[in-house]
Amino acid sequence: MTHFVHPDEVRSRFSRAMSDMYRDEVPQYGNLMALVAQVNAEVLKAQPALANAMAQADELDRLDVERHGAIRVGTKEELSTLRRLFAVMGMEAVGYYDLSVAGVPVHSTAFRPVLGSSLNRNPFRVFTSLLRLDLLADEALRAQAAEILARRQIFTERALALIAQCEAAGGLSDAEADEFVREALETFRWHSEATVDAATYDKLHKAHRLVADVVCFKGPHINHLTPRTLDIDAAQLGMPAHGMDAKEVVEGPPRRACPILLRQTSFKALQERVNFPGSGDQGTHTARFGEIEQRGVALTRKGRALYDSLLANVRSMGNAGSASANYQDRLESSFAAFPDSHDAMRQQGLAFYRYVLQQPVGDASADIETLIADGVVRAEPIVYEDFLPVSAAGIFQSNLGGEEQKHYEANQAQQAFEADLGAQVHDEIALYQAMQDASLQAVRQALAQADVAESVA
């Protein structure tokens, strides 16, 4: 009987290989990893309670391996095949993100594990965007871009064969898994040779820099990888000293005692040499950068509605992309309305928590807050594993050139995206709700079983 490698292990091998490749291609990524490791070590040393809480929640081991990547594709066929490729690694499409409302002509999902055990094993995720040529005003340019994209094949023949083999057999052997990682990595590799001439590149670049990035190359090079930090503000301040040109503002909610959702920053994209075919012309392309993330607790629908309303209030007062102290002051002032303690967020139903039995004696029918107050149950924040469309667009814009801002009508197209993907995307909030519900059910079952055992005794 063939022994198949678990998808979690395939994902771990792939994420390590991706990190090694990106470090070779973008040396500053190594500096970024060193900075984040230093900041995390300092935070854990200074905050032993946090270190203990993370250890109890099995968060420490995944801290150093936690990173996400981002990729942009041009056709529905590329998106659908990526879904199949990521499925080999136990990653499914979670969430729908419309970035067009922030001036970026793409819509996106995140491929990631969905089970808690798989997230703890390796939470690697890839934010994947599909170019929306329908948003380009120039009809002739749309047709030209579509024709260019139709000519390319971003997957190796062997990668496609191994995907099909995994689907048919139910898995890959150890040797096949290693071969799959090597072949799949080729899709994400940087190619300095453009597939179009300089004039075509310039025309697409003027339409939108991201359009040129997607259309003009052999494949959808990974445009960043992201380590997780425990103090993104310290990392932001430390980037210049490590030779990195930090973007002006940290995207997402303001600094808080109890972090929520996701905060992101990056060093700005590097100018990389590009060779154009036929003429010997050379140019530069700006696309790849290094990002840092700080993750907090996942919010319920009620919590997310409050977050969105507070952020909309701040953005309505002025340019949300501004790095001015005025914007940061408005952000902090507005978010003062969002409770900043885990007890308050939990009691008000704003965030999700995993409930863990501390002692096997208690009333199984008691409400959860009573069980927590009595020390029977511990509540652990459930880490937010997904993304924020406004923050993602802010990162994209800052690395496509800060002066560029296109305007598109709000035009969500989730059904069209899912049709191109070949599957429905998971509702991320429903996944967190299921995690919380399962943990609460496990606590009540354990207490009920203890009650039965005690009564029999």
Side-chain angles (χ1 to χ4, degrees):
M1 180 177 176
T2 302
H3 173 72
F4 293 138
V5 177
H6 195 282
D8 291 349
E9 173 59 23
V10 182
R11 184 173 66 259
S12 294
R13 295 183 191 183
F14 181 80
S15 66
R16 287 194 297 268
M18 178 85 85
S19 183
D20 291 343
M21 181 187 77
Y22 200 70
R23 191 190 299 260
D24 288 341
E25 292 182 348
V26 183
Q28 276 197 343
Y29 176 63
N31 297 338
L32 189 73
M33 294 294 291
L35 169 62
V36 168
Q38 174 187 326
V39 169
N40 288 348
E42 291 171 354
V43 170
L44 291 171
K45 182 178 180 180
Q47 301 182 41
L50 174 63
N52 182 59
M54 291 186 69
Q56 286 183 323
D58 293 326
E59 284 285 322
L60 281 181
D61 289 342
R62 65 181 269 190
L63 179 63
D64 291 339
V65 300
E66 180 144 0
R67 55 178 66 95
H68 81 255
I71 191 171
R72 305 156 183 165
V73 295
T75 70
K76 63 181 182 180
E77 292 80 11
E78 291 174 353
L79 179 68
S80 178
T81 304
L82 274 179
R83 171 183 56 79
R84 296 170 59 217
L85 181 148
F86 286 127
V88 176
M89 298 182 258
M91 301 162 71
E92 301 177 28
V94 179
Y96 172 77
Y97 305 92
D98 176 24
L99 273 62
S100 68
V101 296
V104 182
V106 300
H107 49 182
S108 315
T109 191
F111 289 99
R112 69 163 177 88
V114 296
L115 298 178
S117 57
S118 294
L119 286 164
N120 282 337
R121 174 74 180 273
N122 187 302
F124 181 68
R125 56 185 81 77
V126 179
F127 189 80
T128 303
S129 300
L130 175 65
L131 180 63
R132 296 188 62 186
L133 289 176
D134 60 293
L135 295 180
L136 297 186
D138 187 329
E139 185 176 343
L141 193 62
R142 289 202 307 269
Q144 183 180 19
E147 191 273 330
I148 294 168
L149 288 168
R151 292 198 303 260
R152 75 178 186 180
Q153 171 56 274
I154 67 173
F155 306 97
T156 70
E157 290 300 323
R158 185 57 181 155
L160 293 172
L162 286 167
I163 292 169
Q165 180 179 329
C166 181
E167 291 171 340
L172 297 175
S173 69
D174 187 68
E176 290 165 347
D178 283 340
E179 186 181 12
F180 168 80
V181 167
R182 290 193 300 271
E183 295 293 327
L185 207 61
E186 293 304 308
T187 296
F188 301 83
R189 191 178 299 280
W190 166 253
H191 298 282
S192 59
E193 297 80 21
T195 58
V196 301
D197 58 33
T200 302
Y201 175 88
D202 288 342
K203 190 166 23 173
L204 291 165
H205 191 274
K206 287 176 183 176
H208 198 292
R209 293 187 183 199
L210 186 141
V211 175
D213 182 59
V214 175
V215 175
C216 298
F217 296 90
K218 292 180 180 179
H221 38 261
I222 194 82
N223 58 64
H224 67 268
L225 287 180
T226 307
R228 177 184 172 190
T229 183
L230 298 174
D231 188 341
I232 201 166
D233 300 287
Q236 172 91 344
L237 291 173
M239 275 197 278
H242 284 70
M244 290 171 275
D245 183 12
K247 73 182 296 294
E248 289 80 4
V249 63
V250 174
E251 302 286 348
R255 185 181 183 90
R256 294 163 45 89
C258 300
I260 58 173
L261 296 176
L262 173 67
R263 302 181 73 203
Q264 298 170 278
T265 189
S266 71
F267 65 71
K268 293 184 178 179
L270 309 175
Q271 280 202 341
E272 300 181 272
R273 183 68 58 187
V274 174
N275 299 311
F276 295 102
S279 62
D281 290 342
Q282 286 192 330
T284 57
H285 182 67
T286 305
R288 300 194 303 160
F289 54 95
E291 186 179 84
I292 305 171
E293 64 183 24
Q294 180 174 1
R295 292 189 172 271
V297 64
L299 299 186
T300 62
R301 296 193 195 281
K302 178 182 177 182
R304 186 58 186 267
L306 176 58
Y307 171 86
D308 288 343
S309 68
L310 295 176
L311 184 62
N313 180 55
V314 175
R315 290 171 62 81
S316 69
M317 299 180 192
N319 180 10
S322 170
S324 69
N326 182 45
Y327 172 73
Q328 295 300 312
D329 288 345
R330 294 200 315 268
L331 189 67
E332 292 187 9
S333 176
S334 181
F335 272 83
F338 203 112
D340 195 11
S341 78
H342 285 299
D343 285 344
M345 286 191 285
R346 187 183 67 251
Q347 291 162 3
Q348 294 180 37
L350 298 174
F352 287 111
Y353 293 84
R354 180 179 294 104
Y355 299 109
V356 181
L357 200 63
Q358 292 280 83
Q359 59 186 46
V361 178
D363 181 358
S365 63
D367 68 85
I368 191 64
E369 290 302 322
T370 298
L371 293 172
I372 291 171
D374 291 345
V376 177
V377 171
R378 180 178 77 250
E380 298 174 351
I382 294 178
V383 174
Y384 185 65
E385 305 288 353
D386 297 289
F387 297 90
L388 302 172
V390 171
S391 297
I395 293 284
F396 276 24
Q397 288 288 4
S398 69
N399 288 291
L400 291 166
E403 77 284 352
E404 174 151 351
Q405 181 63 54
K406 303 290 183 180
H407 297 281
Y408 304 107
E409 292 295 325
N411 187 16
Q412 287 204 354
Q414 182 169 345
Q415 287 186 332
F417 181 87
E418 290 176 332
D420 291 344
L421 177 69
Q424 290 187 322
V425 300
H426 289 281
D427 176 346
E428 65 274 22
I429 295 181
L431 293 177
Y432 299 121
Q433 184 72 59
M435 287 182 180
Q436 177 174 285
D437 291 347
S439 71
L440 183 57
Q441 182 180 13
V443 162
R444 295 203 184 281
Q445 285 179 343
L447 290 175
Q449 289 170 358
D451 287 344
V452 170
E454 185 177 353
S455 63
V456 170

